[in-house]
Amino acid sequence: MSKVFIGLDIGGTKLIAAAADEHGHIIKRERAATPLPLEKGLALLDEMIAAVSEGAPIAGIGAAAGGPLNWETGVISPLHQPEWRNIALKARMEAKYGCRFSVDVDTNVAALAEHHHAADKPSKLLYLTISTGMGGGLVVNGEIYRGMNGEHPEVGHQSVPYRVADHRTVACSCGSNGCLEALVSGNGIRRLYRKPPEELTASEWEEVAWNFGQGLRNLAVIYLPDVIVLGGGVAFGARESLLLPATEIMRDHLKIVPHPRVMTSELGEHNVLSGAILLAQRIAD
Ligand SMILES: [Zn+2]
């Protein structure tokens, strides 16, 4: 029986597990709602791994989870899963499955997948996700860029000059003011406009796009990526009503550096799972 590579997407609302062959092609996939209790969540992951691997030997397991986490020790404390605190996931999984296990922040994992599937293999690819929250991952020469002590840079918590109708202070859930996440994420939009993103009017989208364009401008002028790839539910839902005006705002304000390409992810919502399988393949080599 040939070995399989397992990819896990551990999200606050859903768990996805998949088994892939040595070419990364998915053989079987399972999806379930994330149970609140930790023990139930871990037991469900085991069931899903058993279901997708169908008894085949496991070569490696790659996983994506919400931050914060330590990618070296594999200890995770995903912010949106309150019962998952200081979980030594790598130690648990390696002991249980007898293979190598690697976990990284979901946006990093998605960024790896976007880079892997990009036809022109850009030397610097910045992936941004706009969903419930907002974050990103930067891939430099095929490797994830990490900050001090291996920490994950939080691009959603940069401040930007923003436009909102009544000029009030925009408070962010991180405790600071004026963060990009508080202006463009699903939660931020709900707080600011008192409705979900899919109900925003054209002029409200214009405002969101202006604010997002300021964030793109900051990221472009500091990181100078070749390409910026957008993903996440809010970005996929908004498509051109966000992408085009925000890119234009970025270009209008970007004077002394080359302009990166800005595009919507072609992998779509599968980029996280696809990246988790890549992680499994990387560690199994
Ligand atoms: Zn913030």
mmCIF file of all heavy atoms in Angstrom, residues 177-220:
data_model
loop_
_atom_site.group_PDB
_atom_site.id
_atom_site.type_symbol
_atom_site.label_atom_id
_atom_site.label_comp_id
_atom_site.label_asym_id
_atom_site.label_seq_id
_atom_site.Cartn_x
_atom_site.Cartn_y
_atom_site.Cartn_z
ATOM 1 N N ASN A 177 -6.111 51.143 17.949
ATOM 2 C CA ASN A 177 -7.074 51.856 17.112
ATOM 3 C C ASN A 177 -6.589 51.957 15.669
ATOM 4 O O ASN A 177 -5.387 52.019 15.419
ATOM 5 C CB ASN A 177 -7.284 53.291 17.623
ATOM 6 C CG ASN A 177 -7.971 53.314 18.972
ATOM 7 O OD1 ASN A 177 -8.787 52.437 19.268
ATOM 8 N ND2 ASN A 177 -7.632 54.290 19.791
ATOM 9 N N GLY A 178 -7.557 52.002 14.755
ATOM 10 C CA GLY A 178 -7.235 52.277 13.354
ATOM 11 C C GLY A 178 -6.562 51.140 12.615
ATOM 12 O O GLY A 178 -5.962 51.349 11.565
ATOM 13 N N CYS A 179 -6.657 49.905 13.144
ATOM 14 C CA CYS A 179 -6.042 48.773 12.449
ATOM 15 C C CYS A 179 -6.818 48.448 11.168
ATOM 16 O O CYS A 179 -8.037 48.579 11.121
ATOM 17 C CB CYS A 179 -6.050 47.522 13.325
ATOM 18 S SG CYS A 179 -4.969 47.630 14.757
ATOM 19 N N LEU A 180 -6.074 47.960 10.179
ATOM 20 C CA LEU A 180 -6.685 47.562 8.912
ATOM 21 C C LEU A 180 -7.757 46.502 9.132
ATOM 22 O O LEU A 180 -8.827 46.553 8.522
ATOM 23 C CB LEU A 180 -5.575 47.036 7.979
ATOM 24 C CG LEU A 180 -5.959 46.763 6.532
ATOM 25 C CD1 LEU A 180 -6.486 48.010 5.854
ATOM 26 C CD2 LEU A 180 -4.767 46.190 5.771
ATOM 27 N N GLU A 181 -7.467 45.544 10.022
ATOM 28 C CA GLU A 181 -8.441 44.475 10.284
ATOM 29 C C GLU A 181 -9.791 45.027 10.739
ATOM 30 O O GLU A 181 -10.844 44.527 10.348
ATOM 31 C CB GLU A 181 -7.898 43.497 11.342
ATOM 32 C CG GLU A 181 -8.977 42.526 11.808
ATOM 33 C CD GLU A 181 -8.464 41.359 12.642
ATOM 34 O OE1 GLU A 181 -7.736 40.519 12.088
ATOM 35 O OE2 GLU A 181 -8.804 41.295 13.832
ATOM 36 N N ALA A 182 -9.760 46.078 11.569
ATOM 37 C CA ALA A 182 -11.000 46.651 12.099
ATOM 38 C C ALA A 182 -11.799 47.364 11.003
ATOM 39 O O ALA A 182 -12.976 47.644 11.177
ATOM 40 C CB ALA A 182 -10.676 47.614 13.230
ATOM 41 N N LEU A 183 -11.152 47.654 9.869
ATOM 42 C CA LEU A 183 -11.803 48.390 8.782
ATOM 43 C C LEU A 183 -12.323 47.489 7.662
ATOM 44 O O LEU A 183 -13.299 47.830 6.997
ATOM 45 C CB LEU A 183 -10.816 49.400 8.175
ATOM 46 C CG LEU A 183 -10.401 50.534 9.103
ATOM 47 C CD1 LEU A 183 -9.045 51.095 8.695
ATOM 48 C CD2 LEU A 183 -11.456 51.634 9.094
ATOM 49 N N VAL A 184 -11.651 46.358 7.427
ATOM 50 C CA VAL A 184 -11.986 45.578 6.231
ATOM 51 C C VAL A 184 -12.398 44.128 6.490
ATOM 52 O O VAL A 184 -12.928 43.477 5.586
ATOM 53 C CB VAL A 184 -10.817 45.590 5.207
ATOM 54 C CG1 VAL A 184 -10.414 47.012 4.870
ATOM 55 C CG2 VAL A 184 -9.610 44.805 5.712
ATOM 56 N N SER A 185 -12.146 43.601 7.690
ATOM 57 C CA SER A 185 -12.494 42.192 7.947
ATOM 58 C C SER A 185 -13.999 42.057 8.144
ATOM 59 O O SER A 185 -14.704 43.048 8.355
ATOM 60 C CB SER A 185 -11.775 41.694 9.201
ATOM 61 O OG SER A 185 -12.332 42.325 10.343
ATOM 62 N N GLY A 186 -14.483 40.805 8.102
ATOM 63 C CA GLY A 186 -15.903 40.550 8.318
ATOM 64 C C GLY A 186 -16.381 41.099 9.654
ATOM 65 O O GLY A 186 -17.396 41.801 9.719
ATOM 66 N N ASN A 187 -15.631 40.813 10.724
ATOM 67 C CA ASN A 187 -16.000 41.333 12.050
ATOM 68 C C ASN A 187 -15.925 42.852 12.092
ATOM 69 O O ASN A 187 -16.780 43.510 12.679
ATOM 70 C CB ASN A 187 -15.077 40.758 13.132
ATOM 71 C CG ASN A 187 -15.520 39.375 13.573
ATOM 72 O OD1 ASN A 187 -16.628 38.938 13.235
ATOM 73 N ND2 ASN A 187 -14.656 38.680 14.298
ATOM 74 N N GLY A 188 -14.889 43.406 11.467
ATOM 75 C CA GLY A 188 -14.715 44.862 11.435
ATOM 76 C C GLY A 188 -15.873 45.532 10.706
ATOM 77 O O GLY A 188 -16.429 46.533 11.175
ATOM 78 N N ILE A 189 -16.243 44.963 9.552
ATOM 79 C CA ILE A 189 -17.356 45.517 8.762
ATOM 80 C C ILE A 189 -18.663 45.452 9.555
ATOM 81 O O ILE A 189 -19.424 46.421 9.596
ATOM 82 C CB ILE A 189 -17.478 44.776 7.403
ATOM 83 C CG1 ILE A 189 -16.328 45.202 6.487
ATOM 84 C CG2 ILE A 189 -18.834 45.026 6.740
ATOM 85 C CD1 ILE A 189 -16.218 44.444 5.178
ATOM 86 N N ARG A 190 -18.896 44.323 10.242
ATOM 87 C CA ARG A 190 -20.116 44.191 11.056
ATOM 88 C C ARG A 190 -20.165 45.261 12.136
ATOM 89 O O ARG A 190 -21.207 45.843 12.416
ATOM 90 C CB ARG A 190 -20.179 42.814 11.709
ATOM 91 C CG ARG A 190 -20.846 41.805 10.820
ATOM 92 C CD ARG A 190 -21.081 40.470 11.512
ATOM 93 N NE ARG A 190 -21.332 39.478 10.481
ATOM 94 C CZ ARG A 190 -20.379 38.801 9.849
ATOM 95 N NH1 ARG A 190 -19.125 38.981 10.168
ATOM 96 N NH2 ARG A 190 -20.673 37.942 8.889
ATOM 97 N N ARG A 191 -18.996 45.520 12.754
ATOM 98 C CA ARG A 191 -18.950 46.504 13.834
ATOM 99 C C ARG A 191 -19.167 47.917 13.290
ATOM 100 O O ARG A 191 -19.908 48.711 13.847
ATOM 101 C CB ARG A 191 -17.593 46.424 14.546
ATOM 102 C CG ARG A 191 -17.685 46.355 16.059
ATOM 103 C CD ARG A 191 -16.319 46.157 16.699
ATOM 104 N NE ARG A 191 -15.792 44.821 16.506
ATOM 105 C CZ ARG A 191 -14.580 44.528 16.021
ATOM 106 N NH1 ARG A 191 -13.756 45.500 15.634
ATOM 107 N NH2 ARG A 191 -14.185 43.296 15.893
ATOM 108 N N LEU A 192 -18.514 48.226 12.155
ATOM 109 C CA LEU A 192 -18.561 49.588 11.610
ATOM 110 C C LEU A 192 -19.879 49.924 10.928
ATOM 111 O O LEU A 192 -20.404 51.022 11.083
ATOM 112 C CB LEU A 192 -17.453 49.758 10.563
ATOM 113 C CG LEU A 192 -16.090 50.232 11.013
ATOM 114 C CD1 LEU A 192 -15.179 50.361 9.792
ATOM 115 C CD2 LEU A 192 -16.183 51.578 11.726
ATOM 116 N N TYR A 193 -20.371 48.968 10.116
ATOM 117 C CA TYR A 193 -21.543 49.269 9.282
ATOM 118 C C TYR A 193 -22.820 48.621 9.817
ATOM 119 O O TYR A 193 -23.887 48.759 9.241
ATOM 120 C CB TYR A 193 -21.287 48.827 7.835
ATOM 121 C CG TYR A 193 -20.083 49.518 7.229
ATOM 122 C CD1 TYR A 193 -18.824 48.912 7.242
ATOM 123 C CD2 TYR A 193 -20.196 50.790 6.661
ATOM 124 C CE1 TYR A 193 -17.712 49.536 6.703
ATOM 125 C CE2 TYR A 193 -19.094 51.430 6.118
ATOM 126 C CZ TYR A 193 -17.850 50.806 6.149
ATOM 127 O OH TYR A 193 -16.749 51.432 5.613
ATOM 128 N N ARG A 194 -22.669 47.856 10.899
ATOM 129 C CA ARG A 194 -23.797 47.160 11.531
ATOM 130 C C ARG A 194 -24.544 46.260 10.566
ATOM 131 O O ARG A 194 -25.770 46.144 10.605
ATOM 132 C CB ARG A 194 -24.750 48.168 12.177
ATOM 133 C CG ARG A 194 -24.060 48.920 13.311
ATOM 134 C CD ARG A 194 -24.979 49.811 14.105
ATOM 135 N NE ARG A 194 -24.210 50.494 15.142
ATOM 136 C CZ ARG A 194 -23.516 51.614 14.927
ATOM 137 N NH1 ARG A 194 -23.512 52.186 13.743
ATOM 138 N NH2 ARG A 194 -22.822 52.170 15.913
ATOM 139 N N LYS A 195 -23.816 45.634 9.659
ATOM 140 C CA LYS A 195 -24.401 44.624 8.767
ATOM 141 C C LYS A 195 -23.278 43.760 8.208
ATOM 142 O O LYS A 195 -22.107 44.161 8.240
ATOM 143 C CB LYS A 195 -25.195 45.290 7.645
ATOM 144 C CG LYS A 195 -24.421 46.314 6.829
ATOM 145 C CD LYS A 195 -25.332 46.892 5.769
ATOM 146 C CE LYS A 195 -25.066 48.366 5.573
ATOM 147 N NZ LYS A 195 -25.862 48.992 4.543
ATOM 148 N N PRO A 196 -23.627 42.571 7.702
ATOM 149 C CA PRO A 196 -22.587 41.698 7.147
ATOM 150 C C PRO A 196 -22.073 42.241 5.806
ATOM 151 O O PRO A 196 -22.779 43.015 5.135
ATOM 152 C CB PRO A 196 -23.315 40.368 6.942
ATOM 153 C CG PRO A 196 -24.763 40.692 6.880
ATOM 154 C CD PRO A 196 -24.969 41.944 7.683
ATOM 155 N N PRO A 197 -20.859 41.851 5.403
ATOM 156 C CA PRO A 197 -20.248 42.369 4.173
ATOM 157 C C PRO A 197 -21.152 42.234 2.944
ATOM 158 O O PRO A 197 -21.187 43.145 2.103
ATOM 159 C CB PRO A 197 -18.998 41.510 3.999
ATOM 160 C CG PRO A 197 -18.676 40.997 5.357
ATOM 161 C CD PRO A 197 -19.967 40.910 6.101
ATOM 162 N N GLU A 198 -21.912 41.106 2.872
ATOM 163 C CA GLU A 198 -22.717 40.894 1.657
ATOM 164 C C GLU A 198 -23.857 41.904 1.523
ATOM 165 O O GLU A 198 -24.473 42.004 0.463
ATOM 166 C CB GLU A 198 -23.229 39.447 1.571
ATOM 167 C CG GLU A 198 -23.981 38.919 2.773
ATOM 168 C CD GLU A 198 -23.048 38.305 3.837
ATOM 169 O OE1 GLU A 198 -21.845 38.648 3.883
ATOM 170 O OE2 GLU A 198 -23.554 37.491 4.643
ATOM 171 N N GLU A 199 -24.118 42.681 2.593
ATOM 172 C CA GLU A 199 -25.201 43.665 2.507
ATOM 173 C C GLU A 199 -24.701 45.100 2.332
ATOM 174 O O GLU A 199 -25.486 46.046 2.325
ATOM 175 C CB GLU A 199 -26.081 43.583 3.775
ATOM 176 C CG GLU A 199 -26.931 42.318 3.809
ATOM 177 C CD GLU A 199 -27.682 42.141 5.122
ATOM 178 O OE1 GLU A 199 -27.858 43.139 5.853
ATOM 179 O OE2 GLU A 199 -28.070 40.991 5.418
ATOM 180 N N LEU A 200 -23.389 45.272 2.174
ATOM 181 C CA LEU A 200 -22.853 46.633 2.006
ATOM 182 C C LEU A 200 -23.335 47.250 0.691
ATOM 183 O O LEU A 200 -23.465 46.570 -0.317
ATOM 184 C CB LEU A 200 -21.318 46.617 2.000
ATOM 185 C CG LEU A 200 -20.579 46.280 3.298
ATOM 186 C CD1 LEU A 200 -19.088 46.527 3.116
ATOM 187 C CD2 LEU A 200 -21.102 47.077 4.487
ATOM 188 N N THR A 201 -23.579 48.563 0.725
ATOM 189 C CA THR A 201 -23.957 49.276 -0.500
ATOM 190 C C THR A 201 -22.693 49.575 -1.301
ATOM 191 O O THR A 201 -21.568 49.444 -0.784
ATOM 192 C CB THR A 201 -24.629 50.620 -0.156
ATOM 193 O OG1 THR A 201 -23.647 51.435 0.542
ATOM 194 C CG2 THR A 201 -25.846 50.438 0.733
ATOM 195 N N ALA A 202 -22.881 50.016 -2.530
ATOM 196 C CA ALA A 202 -21.736 50.323 -3.395
ATOM 197 C C ALA A 202 -20.852 51.396 -2.766
ATOM 198 O O ALA A 202 -19.622 51.318 -2.821
ATOM 199 C CB ALA A 202 -22.229 50.761 -4.771
ATOM 200 N N SER A 203 -21.476 52.414 -2.152
ATOM 201 C CA SER A 203 -20.658 53.484 -1.579
ATOM 202 C C SER A 203 -19.928 53.013 -0.313
ATOM 203 O O SER A 203 -18.823 53.476 -0.017
ATOM 204 C CB SER A 203 -21.499 54.739 -1.308
ATOM 205 O OG SER A 203 -22.428 54.469 -0.295
ATOM 206 N N GLU A 204 -20.532 52.072 0.400
ATOM 207 C CA GLU A 204 -19.825 51.512 1.564
ATOM 208 C C GLU A 204 -18.643 50.648 1.110
ATOM 209 O O GLU A 204 -17.565 50.683 1.709
ATOM 210 C CB GLU A 204 -20.810 50.709 2.436
ATOM 211 C CG GLU A 204 -21.765 51.618 3.207
ATOM 212 C CD GLU A 204 -22.983 50.895 3.786
ATOM 213 O OE1 GLU A 204 -23.335 49.804 3.307
ATOM 214 O OE2 GLU A 204 -23.591 51.455 4.716
ATOM 215 N N TRP A 205 -18.818 49.888 0.035
ATOM 216 C CA TRP A 205 -17.698 49.116 -0.518
ATOM 217 C C TRP A 205 -16.568 50.042 -0.962
ATOM 218 O O TRP A 205 -15.397 49.728 -0.824
ATOM 219 C CB TRP A 205 -18.143 48.256 -1.711
ATOM 220 C CG TRP A 205 -18.567 46.879 -1.302
ATOM 221 C CD1 TRP A 205 -19.776 46.292 -1.556
ATOM 222 C CD2 TRP A 205 -17.793 45.914 -0.559
ATOM 223 N NE1 TRP A 205 -19.796 45.031 -1.005
ATOM 224 C CE2 TRP A 205 -18.604 44.777 -0.398
ATOM 225 C CE3 TRP A 205 -16.517 45.904 -0.008
ATOM 226 C CZ2 TRP A 205 -18.172 43.628 0.288
ATOM 227 C CZ3 TRP A 205 -16.077 44.775 0.664
ATOM 228 C CH2 TRP A 205 -16.899 43.654 0.815
ATOM 229 N N GLU A 206 -16.960 51.192 -1.506
ATOM 230 C CA GLU A 206 -15.973 52.167 -1.954
ATOM 231 C C GLU A 206 -15.090 52.598 -0.784
ATOM 232 O O GLU A 206 -13.873 52.723 -0.910
ATOM 233 C CB GLU A 206 -16.711 53.391 -2.493
ATOM 234 C CG GLU A 206 -16.185 53.918 -3.800
ATOM 235 C CD GLU A 206 -17.132 54.964 -4.338
ATOM 236 O OE1 GLU A 206 -16.975 56.137 -3.950
ATOM 237 O OE2 GLU A 206 -18.051 54.596 -5.108
ATOM 238 N N GLU A 207 -15.757 52.821 0.366
ATOM 239 C CA GLU A 207 -15.041 53.207 1.575
ATOM 240 C C GLU A 207 -14.100 52.083 2.039
ATOM 241 O O GLU A 207 -12.927 52.316 2.341
ATOM 242 C CB GLU A 207 -16.075 53.491 2.668
ATOM 243 C CG GLU A 207 -15.652 54.483 3.708
ATOM 244 C CD GLU A 207 -16.847 54.841 4.596
ATOM 245 O OE1 GLU A 207 -17.194 54.039 5.482
ATOM 246 O OE2 GLU A 207 -17.422 55.917 4.374
ATOM 247 N N VAL A 208 -14.640 50.850 2.088
ATOM 248 C CA VAL A 208 -13.838 49.696 2.511
ATOM 249 C C VAL A 208 -12.635 49.546 1.564
ATOM 250 O O VAL A 208 -11.508 49.315 2.003
ATOM 251 C CB VAL A 208 -14.696 48.398 2.521
ATOM 252 C CG1 VAL A 208 -13.821 47.176 2.806
ATOM 253 C CG2 VAL A 208 -15.803 48.502 3.568
ATOM 254 N N ALA A 209 -12.897 49.705 0.272
ATOM 255 C CA ALA A 209 -11.829 49.552 -0.723
ATOM 256 C C ALA A 209 -10.771 50.646 -0.567
ATOM 257 O O ALA A 209 -9.575 50.400 -0.720
ATOM 258 C CB ALA A 209 -12.414 49.580 -2.138
ATOM 259 N N TRP A 210 -11.201 51.854 -0.243
ATOM 260 C CA TRP A 210 -10.239 52.950 -0.042
ATOM 261 C C TRP A 210 -9.319 52.615 1.134
ATOM 262 O O TRP A 210 -8.099 52.729 1.045
ATOM 263 C CB TRP A 210 -10.974 54.277 0.224
ATOM 264 C CG TRP A 210 -10.083 55.487 0.094
ATOM 265 C CD1 TRP A 210 -9.863 56.223 -1.027
ATOM 266 C CD2 TRP A 210 -9.266 56.062 1.135
ATOM 267 N NE1 TRP A 210 -8.963 57.223 -0.769
ATOM 268 C CE2 TRP A 210 -8.566 57.160 0.550
ATOM 269 C CE3 TRP A 210 -9.036 55.784 2.486
ATOM 270 C CZ2 TRP A 210 -7.688 57.967 1.264
ATOM 271 C CZ3 TRP A 210 -8.151 56.585 3.202
ATOM 272 C CH2 TRP A 210 -7.494 57.660 2.589
ATOM 273 N N ASN A 211 -9.948 52.156 2.217
ATOM 274 C CA ASN A 211 -9.172 51.799 3.412
ATOM 275 C C ASN A 211 -8.240 50.624 3.137
ATOM 276 O O ASN A 211 -7.075 50.624 3.551
ATOM 277 C CB ASN A 211 -10.122 51.469 4.572
ATOM 278 C CG ASN A 211 -10.948 52.676 5.007
ATOM 279 O OD1 ASN A 211 -10.513 53.818 4.827
ATOM 280 N ND2 ASN A 211 -12.120 52.435 5.557
ATOM 281 N N PHE A 212 -8.749 49.619 2.419
ATOM 282 C CA PHE A 212 -7.922 48.454 2.110
ATOM 283 C C PHE A 212 -6.763 48.855 1.189
ATOM 284 O O PHE A 212 -5.631 48.383 1.341
ATOM 285 C CB PHE A 212 -8.770 47.356 1.465
ATOM 286 C CG PHE A 212 -8.015 46.076 1.258
ATOM 287 C CD1 PHE A 212 -7.348 45.466 2.320
ATOM 288 C CD2 PHE A 212 -7.954 45.476 0.008
ATOM 289 C CE1 PHE A 212 -6.628 44.289 2.129
ATOM 290 C CE2 PHE A 212 -7.241 44.304 -0.184
ATOM 291 C CZ PHE A 212 -6.573 43.708 0.874
ATOM 292 N N GLY A 213 -7.049 49.773 0.260
ATOM 293 C CA GLY A 213 -6.009 50.273 -0.651
ATOM 294 C C GLY A 213 -4.857 50.915 0.102
ATOM 295 O O GLY A 213 -3.689 50.793 -0.285
ATOM 296 N N GLN A 214 -5.177 51.577 1.216
ATOM 297 C CA GLN A 214 -4.122 52.183 2.041
ATOM 298 C C GLN A 214 -3.236 51.102 2.665
ATOM 299 O O GLN A 214 -2.022 51.251 2.777
ATOM 300 C CB GLN A 214 -4.731 53.052 3.147
ATOM 301 C CG GLN A 214 -5.521 54.250 2.649
ATOM 302 C CD GLN A 214 -4.665 55.213 1.840
ATOM 303 O OE1 GLN A 214 -3.479 55.390 2.109
ATOM 304 N NE2 GLN A 214 -5.261 55.824 0.827
ATOM 305 N N GLY A 215 -3.881 50.009 3.073
ATOM 306 C CA GLY A 215 -3.126 48.881 3.632
ATOM 307 C C GLY A 215 -2.234 48.252 2.569
ATOM 308 O O GLY A 215 -1.065 47.939 2.825
ATOM 309 N N LEU A 216 -2.774 48.075 1.375
ATOM 310 C CA LEU A 216 -1.983 47.511 0.264
ATOM 311 C C LEU A 216 -0.784 48.394 -0.034
ATOM 312 O O LEU A 216 0.321 47.922 -0.284
ATOM 313 C CB LEU A 216 -2.845 47.392 -1.001
ATOM 314 C CG LEU A 216 -3.939 46.327 -1.023
ATOM 315 C CD1 LEU A 216 -4.690 46.389 -2.350
ATOM 316 C CD2 LEU A 216 -3.354 44.937 -0.820
ATOM 317 N N ARG A 217 -1.027 49.700 -0.014
ATOM 318 C CA ARG A 217 0.054 50.648 -0.284
ATOM 319 C C ARG A 217 1.178 50.501 0.737
ATOM 320 O O ARG A 217 2.359 50.451 0.381
ATOM 321 C CB ARG A 217 -0.528 52.065 -0.249
ATOM 322 C CG ARG A 217 0.500 53.151 -0.300
ATOM 323 C CD ARG A 217 0.258 54.150 0.815
ATOM 324 N NE ARG A 217 1.157 55.281 0.681
ATOM 325 C CZ ARG A 217 0.842 56.510 1.026
ATOM 326 N NH1 ARG A 217 -0.371 56.791 1.475
ATOM 327 N NH2 ARG A 217 1.727 57.473 0.928
ATOM 328 N N ASN A 218 0.816 50.433 2.031
ATOM 329 C CA ASN A 218 1.843 50.271 3.070
ATOM 330 C C ASN A 218 2.636 48.982 2.848
ATOM 331 O O ASN A 218 3.868 48.975 2.929
ATOM 332 C CB ASN A 218 1.192 50.188 4.462
ATOM 333 C CG ASN A 218 0.695 51.540 4.943
ATOM 334 O OD1 ASN A 218 1.006 52.573 4.352
ATOM 335 N ND2 ASN A 218 -0.088 51.527 6.013
ATOM 336 N N LEU A 219 1.915 47.897 2.594
ATOM 337 C CA LEU A 219 2.577 46.597 2.440
ATOM 338 C C LEU A 219 3.475 46.604 1.210
ATOM 339 O O LEU A 219 4.586 46.073 1.230
ATOM 340 C CB LEU A 219 1.526 45.486 2.334
ATOM 341 C CG LEU A 219 0.746 45.261 3.634
ATOM 342 C CD1 LEU A 219 -0.470 44.387 3.394
ATOM 343 C CD2 LEU A 219 1.654 44.650 4.703
ATOM 344 N N ALA A 220 2.986 47.208 0.132
ATOM 345 C CA ALA A 220 3.759 47.232 -1.109
ATOM 346 C C ALA A 220 5.034 48.058 -0.947
ATOM 347 O O ALA A 220 6.108 47.666 -1.401
ATOM 348 C CB ALA A 220 2.909 47.798 -2.249
#
